[in-house]
Amino acid sequence: MLAALKHALENLDLTSEQLSQARALEKWLSSFEFVLLITIWYKTLAAVNDVSRLLQSEAITIDDELFLIGQQLEDLKRIRGSWSQIFQEAIALAGPLGFETELATKRKRKSKRFHDEISNTAHFHDSQIKKFEVNIFNIGLDSLIQQINSRFEASRMVGDMFSFIWLDNDDLSIQENKARELARIIREI
């Protein structure tokens, strides 16, 4: 992609606006931040895709679905806990490509404070690496984990509602009572 962009910059007659956008895109695609984001999302989306394919099977049961989603949550939590390994993989990937292997330092914004206001250092991070980890990596994965957790809870609720069907119980009155309770719940919906 980068080679095609360089070819376009060198060989095409672009307007000044197109040239500016192409150079900005080239700079972004060559940045370590881009390589780091690609590394993070490759790992994350590969884990999600594997489970998603299994969940689309026609033969999957609710128990299997709960198991797979639970495993996926564990995998995502493991990925969230492996920040330093992912960062090192991005460095190993960017280096041979000739890209920077450090995050670009951005200008610090000063926030206005009143004279009697105490400065809050709770969200202050010394390095760009820590800022990236806290503000991008953790937030992105936390959001994904929360969404999948919501799916897990919804699937568990459905599983609990229909669990009487596959109960291996000699007392049929228990199954009858659960079936009536489910019918009552469905009527209320």
Side-chain angles (χ1 to χ4, degrees), residues 120-132:
N120 182 4
T121 59
H123 299 291
F124 177 75
H125 303 291
D126 303 8
S127 70
Q128 289 298 110
I129 296 169
K130 191 66 176 174
K131 284 180 188 176
F132 190 95

Side-chain angles (χ1 to χ4, degrees), residues 8 15 33 46 73 75 81 91 94 101 110 153 162 166 176:
T15 66
E33 186 174 355
L73 284 170
D75 287 347
I91 289 173
T101 55
K110 294 192 178 203
E153 292 304 320
F162 290 97
W166 51 84
E176 257 183 61

